[in-house]
Amino acid sequence: MALLTTEQRDALRSAWATEQKDPVAIDKAATSTAIGEIDAWIEAQVIDAFVSMSEPARSGLTNKQKSDLFARIVAKRWEVM
Amino acid sequence: MASGDTLLIFTPQHNEPTASNAATLDTRNQHLVLDFDDTTNEDGVFRAVMPQSYAGTTGVTVYLHYAMTSATSGDIDWDVAFERVSDSIQDIDSDGFAAVNSVDNTTVPATSGHVDVVSVAFTDGADMDSVTAGDGFRMKVTRDAASDTASGDAELWAVEIRET
């Protein structure tokens, strides 16, 4: 289940779309749907990423800090942001 | 002036930004463009004096030249409205745009850098806020982002007003 509100997803979609310079072959509705699906996947799966960390990171970092690391790794891997 | 003849041409640097939700200047490969958001309805406002050559019989048609920043699918909606600012007609402390005319559901170009041209016709008279030859006026161009489906910014490249 997606946790971001419709307004939050719209704002995220708008910010993302504004920064895209390469062609985007889907429309606003399809992009919003994809954002909701990714949000739902994160809600269901991100805990696996957190528990993949060994100690002392697993208990020494807050979930917010772990999320920050997760986001930076994804950004680096796909050379985005 | 004959039907189809050009009356006025505006480019992005002619825009007079609105107080809120203004379209913003940008460049694309050194082409100056006016960016219109895909979520918030943003405006571009252009000021001119209607040429004396305007016959004032058949109205005008506004041609919008635009490209999409990234979208290659979906559609786009544009609104256009006129505000007559003639001799003792409009207090410029406030806005007085007439109702908009629209061109809706235009499929955007399949190549994001391609410029598409759409047109919005106005009949002479109240439809164009009764602008006649020699009248000052403003014309507001709005992307109806709340209604269209194309993703990302629309880049207004130029606007032409022709005698209809």
Side-chain angles (χ1 to χ4, degrees), chain A residues 10-11 13-18 20-29 31, chain B residues 26 37-39 69-74 112 143 145 148-153:
Chain A
D10 285 347
R13 183 199 53 70
S14 180
W16 175 84
T18 297
Q20 298 309 301
K21 300 303 179 191
D22 293 330
V24 175
I26 61 174
D27 64 16
K28 288 189 277 191
T31 309
Chain B
D26 194 7
D37 188 72
D38 77 350
T39 303
T69 296
S70 56
T72 59
S73 69
S112 70
R143 177 183 177 184
D148 66 22
T149 67
S151 176
D153 287 346

Side-chain angles (χ1 to χ4, degrees), chain B residues 8-136:
Chain B
L8 291 161
I9 293 173
F10 301 105
T11 55
Q13 59 265 49
H14 291 116
N15 176 48
E16 297 180 351
T18 50
S20 61
N21 299 330
T24 52
L25 283 173
D26 194 7
T27 57
R28 179 173 189 165
N29 189 32
Q30 313 312 315
H31 293 250
L32 192 62
V33 296
L34 208 49
D35 279 351
F36 290 74
D37 188 72
D38 77 350
T39 303
T40 303
N41 289 5
E42 292 184 336
D43 306 310
V45 174
F46 304 92
R47 179 203 343 194
V49 173
M50 185 60 76
Q52 294 295 337
S53 54
Y54 173 55
T57 54
T58 54
V60 298
T61 302
V62 177
Y63 291 81
L64 306 174
H65 301 232
Y66 74 95
M68 301 304 294
T69 296
S70 56
T72 59
S73 69
D75 61 54
I76 188 164
D77 298 348
W78 295 99
D79 297 336
V80 180
F82 281 87
E83 177 196 56
R84 185 185 183 199
V85 190
S86 188
D87 191 6
S88 298
I89 291 294
Q90 175 68 37
D91 181 347
I92 61 172
D93 281 331
S94 60
D95 295 341
F97 287 96
V100 304
N101 285 2
S102 304
V103 53
D104 294 335
N105 305 318
T106 304
T107 300
V108 302
T111 300
S112 70
H114 282 184
V115 174
D116 187 29
V117 183
V118 294
S119 64
V120 184
F122 291 80
T123 58
D124 187 61
D127 200 28
M128 48 188 286
D129 206 22
S130 301
V131 175
T132 60
D135 281 345

